[in-house]
Structure formats: structure tokens, C-alpha cells
Amino acid sequence: MILVSISGRPLDLSWADQNIPAILQAWQLGSQSGNAIAQVLFGDYNPSGKLPMSFPRNVGQMPLYYNQKKYRQT
């Protein structure tokens, strides 16, 4: 069983991490998303990269504001 998560923000996947042997985070793909996911699942392509943000370990860490402006105190 493989979980394919297509989302546009970090999600709490702690239950899935404990109960599903493989998780593919597809983020928000374009019009060729079906082909891209199939290539990864069948081993025709080996994706690599680094996430620009962290995924929460539990709901207590929510909300995560990765695109919020940082305000300076004067």
C-alpha cells in the first residue's frame, strides 16, 4: 500500500507514517501529474530534492506559517 498525498501545505501524516509502509508527497503538480506519479511508483524515475519547509509531527504544532512576513521590533 502506498499513500500518494497531493497537497499544497504541510500536513500531519503521523497516523499514515505509523500505518502505511510508503508515502509519496506529490505537492501540487501540473497537467502531467498522473504520468509523473506513475513513473515514480513503477521505479522509472528516482525523485530527489529537499523540502523548503518541515512537516509537523503532530497537530499540536499547527498552524505553521512558512510564508508569513517576519516583523521587526524597533
Side-chain angles (χ1 to χ4, degrees), residues 24 26 29-45 47:
L24 173 65
L29 302 176
S31 61
Q32 292 293 315
S33 61
N35 293 330
I37 291 170
Q39 287 178 353
V40 171
L41 293 179
F42 289 113
D44 297 332
Y45 181 74

Side-chain angles (χ1 to χ4, degrees), residues 20-64:
I20 299 176
I23 299 173
L24 173 65
Q25 176 62 42
W27 217 243
Q28 292 180 335
L29 302 176
S31 61
Q32 292 293 315
S33 61
N35 293 330
I37 291 170
Q39 287 178 353
V40 171
L41 293 179
F42 289 113
D44 297 332
Y45 181 74
N46 184 14
S48 62
K50 296 183 179 181
L51 293 174
M53 65 192 72
S54 299
F55 277 70
R57 286 198 177 267
N58 59 39
V59 179
Q61 290 179 284
M62 300 300 257
L64 293 175

Side-chain angles (χ1 to χ4, degrees), residues 59-72:
V59 179
Q61 290 179 284
M62 300 300 257
L64 293 175
Y65 297 106
Y66 59 90
N67 61 353
Q68 182 178 6
K69 286 186 175 182
K70 295 181 181 177
Y71 295 102
R72 298 177 78 189

